[in-house]
Amino acid sequence: MATLADVARVAGVSSATVSYVLNGTRKVRPETERAVRAAVEEVGYIQNTLARSLATARTLSIGVAISSASNPYFTEILQGIEAEAVDRGYSLLVADPRDDPDHELRVVSHLHQRRIDGIVLAPSPDPSRTMRYLADHDVPTVLADRVIAGGYDQVSTDNTESTASLVDHLAALGHRRIGFVAGLAGLSTTDERLAGYREGLRRNDIDDDPELCREGSSESEAARRAASELLTGSCPATAIIAANNAMTIGAMRAVRDLSLSVPDDVALVAFDDFPWADLFAPRLTAIAQPSREVGAEALRLLLDRLDDPDRDPVEVRLESRFVHRDSCGCAATA
């Protein structure tokens, strides 16, 4: 069986350096870490996690409370968390808060009772009781995707300018009746994307008509109803922005129910890309978020917090990407 000394010999470093990398107890140069991890793979070294746990006074387990079961975007965040956790020698305990404040508090307290070292949380619309619980019990916490005030470690993507860019694109195609299907009230992502929609209207000299903004509650059925209202009013929308992937599905159903066509009758663009978005006919123009990197960065921030509990809170914003396809009404190569 391979030993720590074998890893050190192959990597060309000391056994102490190998320990620093595997236990996360001290920063080393990136190239040194890569050499150590490559040597681990080469010699087939298997770390004794029980011994590591005793040495570091940690359980080497992380709680994750995100709505991964109902949203492919959060599933990809979870994949990013898991990949980074495995690479750093941690295991995950996962719970779904269902975007419900009562259930969120319940699952977070259950995770805490399992003696996790820290938690990655995508907070509900009203996380005040959950955040108070985490503070009262001194649980290291990182917020993923959704941000709140109060000085927390958190990682999210650019929501405002990305949404404004969708309005810019539709306006450049001549649309003046641009509808917006907004997410669940109380979430920072909902507020920021709505702000981006309104900023896009403002800078394109388009009136902010309240009849063109409907709540889709971040889920498909409510979005179907919202999009249907946008398309059947006295002066219907000629283009729709759906503010997440689940609501995009709902908007598509509304278009189908009304026997309309995308993009001939209505242009449709979305915040949130997903793997099958280019399989629709027409293919979906969307904002793609770096979801796996959001998860990986959240885990890194949490482990940094465990190593340095007194450091200042860090907020990270990752850039999203405009993916130009056909549902906006122009060729993807335009």
Side-chain angles (χ1 to χ4, degrees):
M1 181 179 293
T3 67
L4 197 75
D6 295 330
V7 176
R9 176 178 50 78
V10 171
V13 298
S14 68
S15 294
T17 299
V18 174
S19 179
Y20 298 152
V21 171
L22 298 183
N23 294 326
T25 52
R26 184 177 297 181
K27 296 285 188 182
V28 301
R29 292 194 302 272
E31 58 271 24
T32 301
E33 180 173 355
R34 287 194 294 270
V36 169
R37 296 198 182 280
V40 168
E41 291 291 328
E42 181 177 339
V43 304
Y45 176 69
I46 299 176
Q47 191 174 16
N48 185 331
T49 55
L50 177 59
R52 180 185 170 193
S53 177
L54 293 172
T56 60
R58 298 179 185 175
T59 63
L60 304 180
S61 61
I62 299 296
V64 181
I66 61 175
S67 300
S68 58
S70 59
N71 191 323
Y73 169 68
F74 283 115
T75 300
E76 292 195 356
I77 288 180
L78 179 58
Q79 291 170 348
I81 295 171
E82 181 183 37
E84 187 71 16
V86 169
D87 195 44
R88 302 287 288 269
Y90 281 78
S91 60
L92 301 183
L93 298 174
V94 182
D96 187 345
R98 305 176 192 167
D99 283 336
D100 175 78
D102 292 333
H103 191 66
E104 174 184 66
L105 178 60
R106 188 157 47 247
V107 299
V108 164
S109 64
H110 288 169
L111 289 171
H112 174 236
Q113 290 163 19
R114 298 293 297 272
R115 298 185 63 245
I116 55 173
D117 292 326
I119 189 167
V120 176
L121 171 68
S124 71
D126 181 12
S128 55
R129 288 181 297 152
T130 295
M131 300 312 297
R132 186 162 55 248
Y133 176 94
L134 292 168
D136 289 346
H137 292 86
D138 198 26
V139 180
T141 302
V142 172
L143 306 181
D145 181 64
R146 302 159 179 175
V147 300
I148 60 178
Y152 300 99
D153 291 321
Q154 42 197 350
V155 55
S156 58
T157 62
D158 165 56
N159 291 291
T160 305
E161 179 57 31
S162 294
T163 306
S165 73
L166 291 174
V167 179
D168 290 341
H169 185 66
L170 294 170
L173 296 176
H175 292 282
R176 309 294 293 178
R177 300 286 296 170
I178 301 173
F180 186 72
V181 182
L184 187 63
L187 299 178
S188 66
T189 48
T190 296
D191 294 341
E192 291 173 358
R193 292 170 197 175
L194 182 55
Y197 166 69
R198 288 175 171 154
E199 167 60 19
L201 295 178
R202 185 199 62 77
R203 68 193 188 196
N204 287 283
D205 296 320
I206 299 174
D207 290 338
D208 184 2
D209 183 350
E211 290 298 311
L212 288 177
C213 185
R214 303 289 173 135
E215 184 175 332
S217 298
S218 298
E219 57 93 15
S220 178
E221 180 55 26
R224 184 192 64 78
R225 294 191 298 269
S228 181
E229 292 168 357
L230 290 171
L231 294 169
T232 55
S234 58
C235 190
T238 63
I240 291 177
I241 299 171
N244 82 351
N245 48 29
M247 293 190 293
T248 302
I249 301 299
M252 288 178 169
R253 286 175 176 153
V255 171
R256 179 201 61 192
D257 293 346
L258 295 168
S259 299
L260 299 176
S261 172
V262 175
D264 295 336
D265 299 309
V266 58
L268 177 64
V269 299
F271 199 108
D272 272 353
D273 199 21
F274 38 93
W276 57 91
D278 63 349
L279 299 180
F280 293 119
R283 300 176 303 153
L284 185 67
T285 294
I287 296 296
Q289 300 187 82
S291 48
R292 295 194 184 196
E293 181 58 24
V294 168
E297 183 62 23
L299 198 281
R300 293 184 202 115
L301 287 177
L302 183 56
L303 297 189
D304 287 347
R305 172 62 59 191
L306 293 174
D307 290 339
D308 186 3
D310 298 323
R311 69 168 173 77
D312 292 336
V314 175
E315 180 175 341
V316 176
R317 289 278 185 166
L318 301 177
E319 290 188 11
S320 300
R321 181 169 53 92
F322 184 96
V323 182
H324 191 187
R325 298 189 182 103
D326 309 319
S327 65
C328 51
C330 56
T333 55

